Amino acid sequence: MSSRILDEVLPIFTQQDYQIRMLVEGLAQLIYKATIKGPNDLAVSYFVPYSTWKLSGQTWQMLFHQGTSCEPFDVFSNNVQ
């Protein structure tokens, strides 16, 4: 492994408030709140990711994913990953 990879500082992510909504049978939408803070960033970025999932046989497959910036929200302290 490269020493660059071993020394790399990863961003900090949080995820919370998951909601799943069934659109029709076999098609679901997942919505949650998330944050990211890079190792050199002074501020935290807040966003709400949305994804659409389709049931294919016995496996769920993501069809679409988008993260939309949002206003800051309270982050649960036990949620830092």
Side-chain angles (χ1 to χ4, degrees), residues 32 46-51 64-70:
Y32 58 97
Y46 296 83
F47 56 102
V48 178
Y50 298 80
S51 55
F64 176 79
H65 181 79
Q66 174 181 327
T68 303
S69 296
C70 68

Side-chain angles (χ1 to χ4, degrees), residues 18-78:
Y18 284 87
Q19 300 174 26
I20 297 175
R21 180 172 65 163
M22 294 304 296
L23 303 175
V24 295
E25 187 175 338
L27 189 65
Q29 182 181 54
L30 172 65
I31 303 169
Y32 58 97
K33 293 179 180 177
T35 66
I36 183 172
K37 184 179 183 300
N40 298 319
D41 295 339
L42 298 177
V44 174
S45 297
Y46 296 83
F47 56 102
V48 178
Y50 298 80
S51 55
T52 305
W53 294 78
K54 178 181 179 182
L55 184 59
S56 179
Q58 294 184 353
T59 304
W60 285 95
Q61 296 180 323
M62 186 187 303
L63 300 177
F64 176 79
H65 181 79
Q66 174 181 327
T68 303
S69 296
C70 68
E71 294 296 317
F73 51 85
D74 290 333
V75 176
F76 300 132
S77 62
N78 62 348

